[in-house]
Amino acid sequence: MITPGFWDWALEAYGRDGVADACVDLQDRHGQCVPLLLWAAWIAARDESASEETLEAACDIARAWDETTLDALRALRRKLKSPHPDIEAGARLDIRQKTIALERRAEHHLMQALEHLPREAAPGPDTLQSLVAVTRVWSPVTPRKELQTLTACLSA
């Protein structure tokens, strides 16, 4: 089965019922990287797998984007969500929308870098196994229940 490129696949997958909520939960409560999780699910959907070295490279790339760009943009976007008495609402919301667009552009660059990492063409692990594998490299704790929820939403 041929699947679309990572970006297009991720946009479609993120729009499925429950996927966005599951991803945000994994990000906010468990410190996970949503583009990295979606990449792991994408390679599983393509019947591919990633070597341990590729998983480490993916996590290094994602950490670099998070630390230099995405964390700051996400914090700014969230801060701009709430009204401030000394900032006109229209101006604040204009900057928030521009921040959202910039955050999305940064995620796109991250996802392009992940898409071009080497993968094995042989049948790989299922979605849950792929998510667990990348999560184990990303963080010391594997939120298995939440990964199962994300897997179920992606499969629906």
Side-chain angles (χ1 to χ4, degrees):
M1 170 172 79
I2 296 177
T3 58
F6 178 35
W7 177 253
D8 292 333
W9 181 92
L11 289 176
E12 186 276 325
Y14 198 80
R16 295 179 198 164
D17 285 342
V19 171
D21 290 338
C23 286
V24 171
D25 180 58
L26 281 157
Q27 174 183 275
D28 290 350
R29 289 187 40 229
H30 300 284
Q32 296 299 312
C33 175
V34 171
L36 188 62
L37 293 171
L38 292 172
W39 174 76
W42 176 70
I43 63 174
R46 294 175 56 94
D47 287 329
E48 296 175 340
S49 63
S51 68
E52 187 69 26
E53 184 174 321
T54 296
L55 290 175
E56 288 176 13
C59 289
D60 289 345
I61 292 167
R63 276 190 193 93
W65 275 100
D66 269 3
E67 291 170 4
T68 64
T69 309
L70 290 168
D71 287 346
L73 289 171
R74 190 175 302 116
L76 178 59
R77 172 180 48 83
R78 288 176 175 172
K79 187 178 279 192
L80 289 168
K81 189 173 185 175
S82 299
H84 190 284
D86 295 324
I87 299 176
E88 192 271 320
R92 176 183 50 82
L93 294 174
D94 174 61
I95 297 301
R96 185 170 190 272
Q97 285 306 115
K98 286 179 172 64
T99 304
I100 290 169
L102 194 54
E103 182 182 6
R104 184 176 169 138
R105 189 170 177 188
E107 287 177 337
H108 189 210
H109 285 296
L110 164 56
M111 293 165 85
Q112 285 177 317
L114 294 173
E115 181 174 9
H116 291 100
L117 289 172
R119 302 175 308 272
E120 302 296 322
D126 66 26
T127 301
L128 180 59
Q129 292 169 328
S130 188
L131 290 169
V132 166
V134 77
T135 300
R136 284 185 176 155
V137 178
W138 180 257
S139 66
V141 176
T142 303
R144 187 171 297 275
K145 180 181 175 190
E146 290 82 355
L147 294 174
Q148 290 169 336
T149 298
L150 176 57
T151 299
C153 293
L154 287 166
S155 300

